[in-house]
Amino acid sequence: MGQAQVIDGKAFAAGLRARVAERVAKLKAEHGLQPGLAVVLVGDDPGSQIYVRSKGEQTLEAGMHSVTHRLPAETSEADLLDLVRALNADPAIHGILVQFPVPPHIRQSAVLEVLSPDKDVDGLTVANAGRLASGLPALSPCTPVGCMLLLRDALGELRGKRAVVVGRSNLVGKPIAQLLLQADCTVTIAHSRTVDLPAVCREADILVAAVGVPELVRGDWIRPGAAVIDVGMNRLPSRDPVKAAQGKTRVVGDVAFAECAEIAGWITPVPGGVGPMTVACLLQNTLTAALRLNGIAE
Amino acid sequence: MGQAQVIDGKAFAAGLRARVAERVAKLKAEHGLQPGLAVVLVGDDPGSQIYVRSKGEQTLEAGMHSVTHRLPAETSEADLLDLVRALNADPAIHGILVQFPVPPHIRQSAVLEVLSPDKDVDGLTVANAGRLASGLPALSPCTPVGCMLLLRDALGELRGKRAVVVGRSNLVGKPIAQLLLQADCTVTIAHSRTVDLPAVCREADILVAAVGVPELVRGDWIRPGAAVIDVGMNRLPSRDPVKAAQGKTRVVGDVAFAECAEIAGWITPVPGGVGPMTVACLLQNTLTAALRLNGIAE
């Protein structure tokens, strides 16, 4: 009967952005320092264009310096790497985000090898993965950080809870497992090779779905009262056949929301759950990077 | 009734060392390249002395170049870092191992920051932790690699098995969890904050104990037929009170061997299980490092 408390990621993200903006204003007043974020987009993918514009707008709204570099799709890898090196060296820039995917003639790995780990606000470099895995101060990927903030807000103390992460990507699954482990959860990582995935999911006090399979997680996979975090963002044709024929789409998560909301204690919707947290955490990471690069206490 | 098959790590390690020696001989014959391992010991801890001597002997027996630097306990951090830098630059050296712990006036983190990841045959640098976490070619810590070799030898295919790792150290617990995940296991990381640890352990097809608590894991924690890998090396007073009074000790693992051997399908003894694998895997890592540093296919 829909007992779960629906976690309002949109409202939480708005609050987080406001708190970041306050700290940015304080940093400017007390230290004369304005955090700066550079976003680099190669090519003209419409989805990426919208996403990059939104990042730029939210950066400005938080009182930060915002630079967006839009490069043509035929930009060479060498030119992109030169731009990243220039941004590494630019003292007005504290966070650098290269919007992935880049065109196929550019190696993502080459970009991440050049990108300074101290400005890697997406938390994608090997150095930041190593710092996270070693329990050192890292810039952690934004979506996992956002999931943790929502979980702490909903549940309070996470220590000793059983967490199951479905999915083992470098961008989401693995880093969120590390963060849950740091929070003293007992963490299980499940994936496409897991035997009896429903039974493994039923062990979870905290279930994080990050696999990219629409509505994979069903109601009978949920332990009653569990917190369910849906990282999925899957685009399906509109339910309305006329709109679908016009190419209209709808977004669904990795969790069958209605079924699972009957059993779970907390659940994030899609859209409006984890999604809005990602950019808010990007701003927070940029602030953190600015503080660390300038040796100011966080 | 002791039904478990006891995994003979000593014999497996001897076989592995012989295979490494064969490949070293072939490398010398075909490429004129002799892998070299430098071991650095600061201070005169008797245990470390024995360990370092054994590493040097086994390196020579494998046909490798072996250098041992024994530095006085009062060596400054700056001098140690200079030595590490010199070894980084020495083309005859492909693996560098600084024996930890170092004296308290030297920061372990400073040593690992200077050590070249490409020669970090202990797999302790942040760069190698990041490569491992990101699924890139890494030099992985020796003990976890040794555990994986024993598991594959005993069980064959590991895909889909439920693995529980008790302990989350950077040296053992976390890297072995990564390696089990790469092998397509469903991996749970448990630790001192885990609620009902026995029940979590009973879920395991593969149970790895790496906590440093003597005989923590009891017989009724084991799923019948499971593979139990005991990484513990705990020194207790001798059972013989006269010998104990003389300071004689015995080594026990994290697993109550006799009890667990009645239930498990496979089990490693202590000593003679995981322990001997560590140096054999160090030699294998040194060979791997030599191949990679010289661009020779592995």
Side-chain angles (χ1 to χ4, degrees):
Chain A
M1 280 301 181
Q3 293 161 336
Q5 195 173 317
V6 178
I7 295 175
D8 187 344
K10 203 173 162 185
F12 192 95
L16 177 58
R17 289 198 306 271
R19 291 193 296 281
V20 169
E22 270 175 42
R23 292 176 62 201
V24 167
K26 196 158 166 272
L27 187 63
K28 280 197 251 186
E30 293 180 2
H31 296 271
L33 175 64
Q34 184 181 33
L37 173 66
V39 176
V40 180
L41 174 62
V42 185
D44 45 14
D45 175 69
S48 291
Q49 297 260 15
I50 293 170
Y51 201 43
V52 162
R53 190 165 62 230
S54 156
K55 284 175 184 172
E57 286 166 1
Q58 294 190 36
T59 306
L60 289 174
E61 279 167 23
M64 297 188 188
H65 175 51
S66 168
V67 179
T68 304
H69 293 269
R70 290 185 176 77
L71 307 180
E74 59 275 18
T75 302
S76 71
E77 182 180 288
D79 283 350
L80 177 60
L81 298 185
D82 281 345
L83 172 60
V84 172
R85 286 192 194 95
L87 294 169
N88 283 346
D90 184 344
I93 297 298
H94 308 95
I96 304 169
L97 186 153
V98 179
Q99 184 73 39
F100 290 135
V102 281
H105 65 279
I106 299 177
R107 293 165 302 151
Q108 180 171 323
S109 62
V111 175
L112 293 177
E113 272 167 37
V114 165
L115 181 60
S116 165
D118 297 329
K119 297 190 177 184
D120 167 31
V121 283
D122 242 359
L124 291 180
T125 57
V126 170
N128 274 312
R131 290 177 190 171
L132 178 60
S134 306
L136 299 170
L139 290 169
S140 299
C142 299
T143 302
V145 170
C147 293
M148 293 303 293
L149 291 173
L150 294 178
L151 279 169
R152 285 189 200 277
D153 184 58
L155 302 182
E157 176 61 51
L158 305 183
R159 173 173 297 172
K161 295 202 184 292
R162 289 209 64 170
V164 175
V165 179
V166 187
R168 51 176 164 170
S169 68
N170 289 341
L171 186 57
V172 182
K174 286 189 205 166
I176 200 169
Q178 295 280 2
L179 293 170
L180 288 162
L181 189 61
Q182 278 181 13
D184 288 334
C185 292
T186 301
V187 181
T188 299
I189 308 175
H191 45 77
S192 58
R193 302 299 188 173
T194 292
V195 176
D196 201 352
L197 183 58
V200 173
C201 290
R202 274 191 292 270
E203 296 168 0
D205 301 313
I206 294 169
L207 180 62
V208 180
V211 273
V213 180
E215 300 183 335
L216 174 72
V217 177
R218 313 305 311 189
D220 63 355
W221 297 25
I222 308 296
R223 175 186 282 194
V228 178
I229 303 291
D230 188 351
V231 185
M233 289 262 283
N234 310 289
R235 208 163 277 280
L236 295 183
S238 170
R239 280 216 175 83
D240 179 329
V242 177
K243 288 186 179 165
Q246 295 166 341
K248 289 279 191 324
T249 59
R250 64 194 169 101
V251 171
V252 301
D254 292 345
V255 172
F257 181 83
E259 288 176 19
C260 294
E262 306 238 342
I263 316 294
W266 295 265
I267 190 166
T268 60
V270 175
V274 172
M277 293 298 290
T278 301
V279 181
C281 290
L282 174 69
L283 301 179
Q284 181 176 259
N285 269 355
T286 303
L287 172 60
T288 300
L291 293 170
R292 290 185 188 163
L293 285 163
N294 288 277
I296 299 168
E298 287 168 42
Chain B
M1 283 302 181
Q3 294 163 333
Q5 195 172 320
V6 178
I7 294 174
D8 187 345
K10 203 171 162 185
F12 192 95
L16 177 58
R17 289 199 308 272
R19 290 193 296 280
V20 169
E22 269 175 43
R23 292 176 62 200
V24 167
K26 195 157 165 273
L27 187 63
K28 280 197 252 187
E30 293 180 2
H31 295 271
L33 175 65
Q34 183 180 34
L37 174 66
V39 176
V40 180
L41 173 63
V42 186
D44 46 13
D45 175 69
S48 291
Q49 296 260 15
I50 293 169
Y51 201 44
V52 162
R53 190 167 59 229
S54 155
K55 284 175 184 171
E57 287 165 2
Q58 294 189 35
T59 306
L60 290 174
E61 279 168 24
M64 298 188 187
H65 175 52
S66 168
V67 180
T68 304
H69 292 269
R70 290 186 175 77
L71 306 180
E74 60 274 18
T75 302
S76 72
E77 182 179 289
D79 284 350
L80 177 60
L81 297 185
D82 281 344
L83 173 60
V84 171
R85 285 192 195 95
L87 293 169
N88 283 346
D90 184 344
I93 296 298
H94 309 96
I96 304 169
L97 187 153
V98 179
Q99 183 73 40
F100 291 134
V102 283
H105 66 279
I106 299 177
R107 292 166 302 152
Q108 180 172 322
S109 61
V111 175
L112 293 177
E113 272 168 35
V114 165
L115 182 60
S116 165
D118 297 328
K119 297 190 176 184
D120 166 31
V121 283
D122 241 0
L124 291 179
T125 57
V126 170
N128 274 312
R131 290 177 191 172
L132 179 61
S134 306
L136 299 171
L139 289 168
S140 299
C142 299
T143 301
V145 170
C147 293
M148 293 302 293
L149 291 174
L150 294 179
L151 279 169
R152 283 188 200 278
D153 185 58
L155 302 183
E157 177 60 53
L158 304 182
R159 172 174 297 172
K161 295 201 184 293
R162 289 211 62 171
V164 175
V165 179
V166 187
R168 51 176 164 171
S169 68
N170 289 342
L171 186 56
V172 181
K174 285 189 204 166
I176 198 168
Q178 296 281 3
L179 293 171
L180 288 162
L181 190 60
Q182 280 182 12
D184 288 334
C185 293
T186 300
V187 181
T188 299
I189 308 175
H191 44 77
S192 58
R193 301 299 186 174
T194 292
V195 176
D196 200 352
L197 183 57
V200 173
C201 289
R202 274 191 293 271
E203 297 168 359
D205 301 312
I206 294 168
L207 180 63
V208 180
V211 273
V213 179
E215 300 183 334
L216 174 73
V217 176
R218 312 306 309 190
D220 63 353
W221 297 25
I222 306 297
R223 174 186 284 195
V228 178
I229 303 291
D230 188 352
V231 185
M233 289 261 283
N234 309 289
R235 209 162 275 281
L236 296 183
S238 170
R239 280 217 176 81
D240 179 329
V242 177
K243 289 186 179 167
Q246 293 164 341
K248 289 280 191 322
T249 59
R250 63 193 169 102
V251 171
V252 300
D254 292 347
V255 172
F257 181 84
E259 287 177 19
C260 293
E262 308 238 341
I263 316 293
W266 295 264
I267 190 167
T268 61
V270 175
V274 172
M277 293 298 292
T278 301
V279 181
C281 290
L282 175 68
L283 301 180
Q284 181 177 259
N285 269 355
T286 303
L287 172 60
T288 300
L291 293 171
R292 290 184 188 164
L293 284 163
N294 289 277
I296 299 170
E298 286 168 41

